[in-house]
Amino acid sequence: MHVLITGGAGFIGSHIADLLHDRGHHVRLLDALLPAAHGSRTVPDHLQSYEVVRGDIRDQAVLRHALTGIDVVCHQAAMVGLETGLGDMPDYVTHNDLGTAHLLAGMSNAGIGRLVLASSMVVYGEGRYSCPAHGTVQPGPRTPPDLDRGLFEPRCPRCGSALHPELIPEDAALDPRNTYAVTKLTQEHLAAVWARHTSGSAVALRYHNVYGPRMPRNTPYAGVASLFRSALALGEAPKVFEDGAQRRDFIHVHDIARANLAAIQREHPGFTTYNICSGQPRTIADMATALAKAANGATPIITGQYRLGDVRHITADPARAERDLDFRPQIAFDDGMEEFGTAELRA
């Protein structure tokens, strides 16, 4: 099978490329090599053997060349992370949503009918919660006054009671809370429209907290795993926001690559979403502590600080991916963190 991986020189894309190549697929990479993700703006050494198209997905000539002879597109290219301010909005929308629209139009023109889209857990906003009195509820955004007082847990919107976090399924209500989240949901909607109009197959993989080798070093848009690992590499203590009890689902990048392979191998017309996660919640403090131990680094510091766009708990139900894709993560949390604690980061 001939596969185009957009964002193929990046953290996740490069691991997908390696796995597909090892399984006998022909892989082509398309990457703009943006400075925010690629400091040197050169193709990394470990990708020199691949066919790489360097250019912007919104450039029609570049896109036509990249799509020639392709059977399936694995769309990983995106501007990621929590924005540093509202001034970032145009860049997120331009790269993520306009770029995806150009890609889908190009695929339609080229007669390519299969897409695997990198989506994200962020489309859910806050996760799934239950109230003892009112059952399943969806809390609104946490307020600055509560956060300033250290009241980090969301409360029942009907009675104000404490809530119990649960695993969230793919059919839960979606409530993106920041610009990146909105663009990921928009990508899903665009892919669904494309699938409906072309009778194509579009699979959106909602990644949870991905970590592993080749993760980029600390940038303003880096995820928490990269921030902690970068601090430890500098001999500094990881700084944990809030009280560290935020629940997440951490999944190794090699498992993310396996999920993409499973999605590529399954052709089913229409649009489908899958949680790509372990189903085993851990706290942010758990991860910081495990990484510090693996790196023989400084003890994490709980700061009590917060970022207004963050959510408290978001962990998901992996049952649909297990059923349809036969996908189950293979790398346990403790093993993955032990490796990542000393793994090489990308400059």
Side-chain angles (χ1 to χ4, degrees):
M1 192 178 302
H2 288 69
V3 183
L4 174 67
I5 305 175
T6 71
F11 166 47
I12 293 175
S14 67
H15 284 285
I16 297 171
D18 288 347
L19 181 61
L20 294 182
H21 179 266
D22 290 346
R23 297 298 177 89
H25 298 289
H26 180 274
V27 177
R28 178 182 297 153
L29 312 181
L30 170 61
D31 205 298
L33 297 172
L34 296 175
H38 304 272
S40 63
R41 301 208 69 180
T42 60
V43 177
D45 290 343
H46 59 270
L47 298 176
Q48 292 295 332
S49 62
Y50 289 104
E51 179 187 359
V52 180
V53 177
R54 177 171 176 170
D56 194 309
I57 200 171
R58 296 164 294 176
D59 184 314
Q60 295 302 303
V62 168
L63 187 58
R64 280 195 299 271
H65 172 56
L67 291 172
T68 301
I70 293 298
D71 300 309
V72 56
V73 174
C74 188
H75 185 29
Q76 307 295 313
M79 185 174 175
V80 302
L82 184 64
E83 62 268 19
T84 60
L86 294 179
D88 288 337
M89 273 187 170
D91 284 341
Y92 275 97
V93 173
T94 298
H95 286 293
N96 297 359
D97 296 338
L98 183 58
T100 297
H102 279 291
L103 174 65
L104 295 172
M107 289 175 62
S108 178
N109 292 335
I112 301 168
R114 298 180 62 186
L115 171 73
V116 177
L117 170 68
S119 189
S120 173
M121 65 177 188
V122 296
V123 300
Y124 296 117
E126 283 287 351
R128 187 182 184 92
Y129 294 85
S130 63
C131 170
H134 298 104
T136 300
V137 297
Q138 186 172 15
R142 297 179 296 167
T143 66
D146 277 354
L147 294 169
D148 288 338
R149 290 185 292 162
L151 301 177
F152 300 123
E153 295 290 343
R155 294 178 289 185
C156 176
R158 297 177 64 182
C159 68
S161 297
L163 299 174
H164 177 70
E166 299 178 342
L167 300 183
I168 193 166
E170 288 88 350
D171 58 1
L174 305 180
D175 184 22
R177 299 288 177 88
N178 56 59
T179 302
Y180 171 63
V182 170
T183 65
K184 297 311 287 184
L185 182 54
T186 301
Q187 285 184 313
E188 288 193 10
H189 288 321
L190 291 170
V193 170
W194 170 86
R196 186 163 57 249
H197 281 272
T198 64
S199 299
S201 171
V203 176
L205 303 179
R206 291 174 178 168
Y207 301 160
H208 283 250
N209 288 72
V210 187
Y211 69 95
R214 303 179 193 163
M215 201 167 197
R217 294 184 187 275
N218 185 9
T219 77
Y221 306 97
V224 66
S226 175
L227 295 174
F228 290 169
R229 179 66 182 80
S230 297
L232 289 163
L234 294 172
E236 300 172 357
K239 292 182 173 60
V240 180
F241 278 17
E242 301 186 18
D243 59 359
Q246 309 95 301
R247 289 158 56 107
R248 296 292 187 272
D249 192 313
F250 299 100
I251 183 164
H252 196 281
V253 68
H254 289 167
D255 284 323
I256 292 291
R258 293 184 188 103
N260 277 270
L261 175 63
I264 286 168
Q265 292 174 331
R266 181 180 185 269
E267 184 173 8
H268 184 74
F271 175 74
T272 314
T273 59
Y274 293 101
N275 290 323
I276 304 301
C277 59
S278 71
Q280 302 294 320
R282 301 278 183 164
T283 69
I284 297 291
D286 287 341
M287 183 186 68
T289 300
L291 279 180
K293 180 180 178 181
N296 195 26
T299 301
I301 298 171
I302 306 296
T303 69
Q305 295 174 284
Y306 64 86
R307 297 191 304 181
L308 195 58
D310 282 341
V311 298
R312 180 60 173 175
H313 305 296
I314 175 64
T315 56
D317 185 346
R320 181 186 288 182
E322 292 177 358
R323 183 190 69 226
D324 292 358
L325 302 179
D326 195 26
F327 170 74
R328 294 169 182 80
Q330 297 180 11
I331 300 176
F333 175 83
D334 290 338
D335 294 338
M337 289 297 160
E338 184 175 356
E339 176 210 34
F340 185 48
T342 55
E344 182 178 357
L345 298 178
R346 196 177 76 236

